[in-house]
């Protein structure tokens, strides 16, 4: 059964995509789409334009390649893009199940993790049809598989490809470095990280040569973005607006809606600082927990640390577009310890809560109506709770004390841990 489960998850994902996502009116209705943006990129490339030199693009080169591919394959652009995202969903579902098995989760957890991945378009909505974040999520899922199965070269290759698709996977690098150093040492880790850096450099270098300023725009675009209206910082400012009448100004910029003014600018800077501190704190907590963990529990511990990092990025970043919620799926459904099931359920709940205001009530949110503000505040609060559930605790797989070993195995105190019964180690 366990060998068939990844295939079943992939088939279920495609069935969800081709069935209810297309046939149920709630999902089939038009929404807010990014496909025209992607199609314009394809048309510019097809006309001989070079990304970053001849036209601005806020996405890395692999994303540009995806937009081009959707245009050259037979069929309408929207249809082909949808098929490509369906295949990414299938890869995501299969990868999540493989990762769940590799970290040692039981069959029920593997099935539940695969179900959340396969049904994510129904949980989050049809916006996944018109964004390319399923590709990012699928790459992260198989990155986790490579990590926990210790295929280090593949891990770093996937880090490079994922970063060249969307910059966000870079936040996972501190945890990956700590884990590989712990498992195989610094030399192998440095080689792998330099190899990934080389792949990224080789992909970006031609564009830098053609237009350094245009290529830098890929980074500066995200640095310059204002506080996006769905971010946690913005949500609580919106809540203050609703409760106390705090004046706010909504602006249309950088392809989305954000808040402008001294207050939002200060919150935006604070969000970036909190994000940096939180990611560093997770890495430190993971390193400490790793030293106390049993070897059998290290895989689930690294998956939990990756989940904490991704949940924290969403909860504390200055930009939180609704499609970003799918990035949680490949990691947050793998959380170990006492909060594992809760993290899985909270991940699904956060996606459903996003669909309660997006896209149906999104422009009511922009108009500062009370109901979508309340829904947004509740959703972002749930994301904060999810980040706390995923925090890498030393209790996840901690080594038993010698007194506890003696009591369970009947051996005298001081017996080495390798003498503990296989039954106990499997618990």
């Amino acid at each position: 059964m366990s060998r068939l489960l990844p295939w079943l998850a992939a088939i279920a994902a495609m069935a969800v995509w081709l069935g209810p996502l297309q046939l149920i009116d709630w999902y089939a209705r038009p929404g807010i789409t990014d496909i025209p943006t992607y199609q314009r990129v394809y048309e510019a490339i097809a006309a001989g334009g070079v990304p970053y030199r001849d036209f601005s693009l806020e996405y890395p080169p692999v994303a540009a390649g995806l937009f081009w591919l959707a245009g050259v394959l037979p069929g309408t652009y929207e249809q082909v893009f949808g098929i490509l995202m369906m295949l990414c969903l299938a890869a995501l579902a299969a990868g999540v199940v493989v990762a769940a098995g590799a970290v040692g989760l039981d069959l029920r957890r593997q099935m539940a993790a695969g179900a959340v991945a396969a049904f994510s378009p129904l949980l989050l909505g049809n916006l996944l049809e018109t964004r390319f974040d399923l590709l990012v999520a699928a790459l992260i899922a198989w990155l986790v598989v490579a990590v926990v199965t210790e295929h280090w070269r593949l891990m770093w290759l996937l880090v490079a490809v994922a970063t060249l698709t969307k910059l966000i996977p870079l936040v996972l690098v501190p945890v990956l470095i700590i884990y590989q150093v712990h498992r195989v040492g610094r030399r192998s880790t440095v080689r792998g990280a330099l190899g990934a850096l080389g792949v990224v450099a080789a992909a970006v270098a031609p564009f830098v040569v053609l237009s350094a300023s245009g290529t830098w725009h890929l980074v500066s675009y995200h640095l310059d973005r204002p506080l996006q209206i769905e971010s946690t910082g913005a949500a609580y400012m919106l809540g203050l607006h609703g409760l106390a009448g705090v004046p706010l100004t909504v602006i249309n910029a950088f392809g989305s809606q954000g808040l402008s003014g001294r207050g939002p600018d200060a919150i935006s800077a604070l969000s970036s600082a909190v994000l940096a501190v939180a990611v560093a704190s997770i890495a430190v907590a993971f390193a400490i927990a790793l030293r106390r963990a049993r070897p059998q529990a290290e895989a689930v511990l690294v998956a939990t640390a990756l989940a904490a990092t991704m949940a924290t990025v969403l909860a504390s970043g200055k930009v939180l577009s609704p499609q970003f919620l799918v990035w949680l799926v490949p990691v947050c459904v793998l959380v170990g310890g006492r909060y594992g099931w809760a993290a899985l359920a909270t991940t699904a709940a956060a996606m459903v809560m996003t669909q309660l205001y997006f896209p149906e009530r999104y422009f009511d949110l922009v108009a500062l109506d009370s109901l979508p503000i309340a829904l947004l505040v509740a959703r972002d609060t749930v994301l904060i709770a999810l980040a706390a559930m995923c925090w890498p605790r030393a209790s996840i797989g901690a080594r038993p004390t010698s007194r506890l070993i003696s009591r369970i195995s009947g051996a005298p105190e001081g017996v080495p841990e390798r003498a503990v019964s296989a039954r106990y180690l499997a618990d």
Side-chain angles (χ1 to χ4, degrees):
M1 178 63 180
S2 59
R3 291 185 178 182
L4 290 176
L5 201 54
W7 295 100
L8 295 175
I11 292 170
M14 290 189 287
V16 165
W17 192 280
L18 296 173
L21 192 63
Q22 310 301 324
L23 301 177
I24 296 176
D25 290 342
W26 174 262
Y27 297 105
R29 72 192 192 287
I32 302 171
T33 175
D34 283 355
I35 285 185
T37 300
Y38 306 157
Q39 189 167 5
R40 284 195 292 271
V41 173
Y42 157 69
E43 291 169 350
I45 295 174
V50 177
Y52 317 115
R53 186 193 68 180
D54 299 324
F55 60 92
S56 296
L57 182 62
E58 66 267 30
Y59 304 116
V62 169
L66 173 69
F67 305 156
W68 172 82
L69 180 64
V72 299
L73 293 175
T76 68
Y77 193 92
E78 186 172 6
Q79 289 172 340
V80 173
F81 189 86
I83 292 172
L84 292 174
M85 290 305 101
M86 179 186 70
L87 296 176
C88 289
L89 177 65
L92 168 63
V96 163
V97 172
V98 173
V103 301
L105 300 181
D106 62 32
L107 188 60
R108 289 182 305 162
R109 282 290 304 274
Q110 293 177 43
M111 294 175 67
V116 171
F119 284 84
S120 57
L122 303 185
L123 298 172
L124 189 53
N126 65 359
L127 61 94
L128 290 180
E129 291 183 278
T130 60
R131 278 82 173 170
F132 69 99
D133 293 80
L134 278 170
L135 173 58
V136 180
L139 289 169
I140 294 174
W142 286 99
L143 169 60
V144 176
V145 173
V147 173
V148 298
T149 57
E150 301 191 5
H151 288 82
W152 306 116
R153 290 181 181 177
L154 177 60
M155 180 190 82
W156 286 112
L157 176 61
L158 288 172
V159 167
V161 174
T163 301
L164 288 167
T165 303
K166 212 160 195 177
L167 299 176
I168 194 64
L170 280 174
V171 300
L172 304 177
V173 169
V175 168
L176 300 178
I177 289 175
I178 290 169
Y179 189 64
Q180 188 177 355
V181 168
H182 173 78
R183 296 295 294 179
V184 296
R186 288 185 178 86
R187 181 175 297 180
S188 175
T189 305
V190 170
R191 285 201 303 266
L194 290 177
L197 182 62
V199 171
V200 172
V204 174
F207 301 105
V208 173
V209 171
L210 292 171
S211 175
S213 61
T215 307
W216 172 247
H217 174 74
L218 165 64
V219 178
S220 64
Y221 177 94
H222 300 285
L223 294 176
D224 295 340
R225 290 188 69 170
L227 190 67
Q228 196 253 350
I229 197 169
E230 295 166 87
S231 65
T232 301
Y236 288 106
M237 294 202 72
L238 292 171
L240 289 173
H241 169 81
L243 293 173
V246 174
L248 291 176
T249 301
V250 179
I251 59 172
N252 297 314
F254 293 83
S256 65
Q257 286 68 43
L259 301 182
S260 177
R262 290 185 178 180
D265 289 348
I267 294 295
S268 176
L270 181 61
S271 295
S272 299
V274 169
L275 175 59
V277 171
V279 170
S281 299
I282 290 168
V284 171
F286 172 59
I288 294 171
L290 199 56
R291 288 200 294 267
R292 296 180 56 187
R294 291 178 290 127
Q296 295 87 343
E298 290 178 356
V300 74
L301 184 57
V302 70
T304 301
L306 293 172
T309 303
M310 190 58 71
T312 298
V313 167
L314 266 63
S316 61
K318 68 176 182 177
V319 177
L320 178 50
S321 297
Q323 66 269 20
F324 293 0
L325 272 291
V326 78
W327 302 348
L328 299 171
V329 173
V331 283
C332 290
V333 298
L334 306 177
V335 172
R338 70 180 67 179
Y339 298 108
W341 278 105
L344 184 148
T346 304
T347 300
M351 288 192 285
V352 171
M353 294 174 74
T354 300
Q355 194 174 175
L356 293 179
Y357 76 84
F358 189 93
E360 192 75 14
R361 297 183 176 91
Y362 178 72
F363 288 106
D364 294 334
L365 175 68
V366 173
L368 305 181
D369 287 353
S370 297
L371 178 57
I373 288 176
L375 293 172
L376 176 65
V377 170
R379 193 282 308 273
D380 287 357
T381 302
V382 165
L383 287 176
I384 294 173
L386 177 61
M389 293 175 193
C390 298
W391 197 268
R393 296 166 175 83
S395 59
I396 300 175
R399 295 177 185 272
T401 65
S402 59
R403 186 177 298 275
L404 179 60
I405 293 172
S406 301
R407 199 161 52 234
I408 293 174
S409 66
E413 290 188 28
V415 172
E417 185 179 341
R418 62 178 177 270
V420 180
S421 67
R423 181 177 62 84
Y424 175 74
L425 290 176
D427 286 344

